[in-house]
Amino acid sequence: MRVLVLAAHSDDEVLGCGGTIARLAADGADVYIAILGEGITSRFAARQDADAGMVAALQERSRQVASLLGARELFLYGLPDNRFDSVPLLEVVKIIEDLVDRLRPEVVFTQHGGDLNVDHVVLYRATLTATRPQEGAAVRDVYAYEVASSTEWAFQQFEPRFTPSVFFEIENTLATKIEAMQLYESEARAFPHPRSPESLRASAVRWGSVAGLRAAEAFHLVRSVRPAGAS
């Protein structure tokens, strides 16, 4: 199985499905991660004021995280942090279309469209456009994941609301997810922040209990297509 995980920022892939990435990779799936945003630059008054060294350091952390989770390959792009809405949607769509054409994934994980963060919203829309279920399309399943401190902080005020219906057990890979998040030193936070180790563990246990599991990550199923003869 080939899996493509799309993320707007370095750490979204861990927060949303780090445990699932590690689990699928351990089970033998070819998991590819694509991070479309440069990260960090929105913390400066102007994008050009950003410290290039900080961006490079964050990208290196992303490589370490991808290796830890067991991803087959990591793709990094340079869309402006927290400014995806300033980029033509077609440009974002074409990045994803190129990845889908090259990798031919059966499963795609992407950001949730009702998040507080505008980059997540744009990436969600672009993913749906780039993975249109046309005849012969490789992508069968599209899942949207939640991101701590973005999905829940929208307080269900934006559509679509996060209504998970698919749960991946991560009891054996939860520790790896938390370790991976801690590698992102500039993005990790102390408790009670939603991105703290304690909060991430509590969220996994909570979603696990919803599905009769000890720990899980939750996903909103956007689409699942099963053509004749497919397993």
Side-chain angles (χ1 to χ4, degrees):
M1 182 171 65
R2 290 189 166 215
V3 178
L4 174 60
V5 177
L6 298 167
H9 313 108
S10 297
D11 80 350
D12 289 345
E13 80 282 18
V14 176
L15 294 169
C17 48
T20 299
I21 292 171
R23 170 191 158 178
L24 293 176
D27 288 345
D30 291 330
V31 183
Y32 300 87
I33 300 172
I35 300 174
L36 275 67
E38 63 200 354
I40 287 185
T41 61
S42 64
R43 298 175 188 177
F44 296 82
R47 186 184 180 195
Q48 59 269 25
D49 296 334
D51 185 333
M54 291 177 64
V55 175
L58 183 60
Q59 291 182 337
E60 177 56 30
R61 289 293 184 177
S62 297
R63 296 184 184 94
Q64 294 174 15
V65 165
S67 177
L68 174 62
L69 296 179
R72 185 176 181 87
E73 192 169 353
L74 171 69
F75 301 90
L76 296 171
Y77 298 87
L79 296 183
D81 182 44
N82 274 285
R83 299 180 180 91
F84 280 22
D85 55 338
S86 69
V87 177
L89 181 64
L90 181 60
E91 183 176 331
V92 187
V93 170
K94 286 190 173 296
I95 291 173
I96 301 171
E97 283 182 336
D98 177 66
L99 286 166
V100 169
D101 287 345
R102 281 193 286 159
L103 302 176
R104 302 287 294 173
E106 291 98 349
V107 179
V108 171
F109 292 92
T110 191
Q111 312 270 179
H112 182 251
D115 281 9
L116 190 62
N117 190 292
V118 67
D119 293 356
H120 300 183
V121 175
V122 172
L123 183 55
Y124 174 81
R125 177 68 181 269
T127 301
L128 267 60
T129 304
T131 62
R132 300 182 297 279
Q134 303 177 79
E135 184 177 14
V139 179
R140 299 178 184 176
D141 301 321
V142 178
Y143 299 104
Y145 56 79
E146 65 174 346
V147 168
S149 76
S150 179
T151 309
E152 78 280 30
W153 280 357
F155 294 103
Q156 301 285 325
Q157 296 303 300
F158 305 134
E159 296 291 343
R161 300 182 179 185
F162 186 66
T163 53
S165 57
V166 177
F167 303 86
F168 281 74
E169 184 172 15
I170 62 165
E171 180 184 4
N172 295 330
T173 54
L174 176 56
T176 303
K177 170 180 177 144
I178 292 173
E179 180 183 353
M181 188 59 208
Q182 292 306 108
L183 284 175
Y184 283 126
E185 295 175 351
S186 64
E187 313 306 309
R189 297 291 184 270
F191 186 78
H193 194 281
R195 280 184 262 152
S196 67
E198 296 90 341
S199 295
L200 294 178
R201 185 174 290 106
S203 177
V205 171
R206 178 246 178 157
W207 283 128
S209 70
V210 169
L213 305 169
R214 293 186 179 275
E217 287 172 331
F219 302 92
H220 175 88
L221 176 62
V222 176
R223 184 182 74 243
S224 182
V225 177
R226 286 293 178 274
S231 58

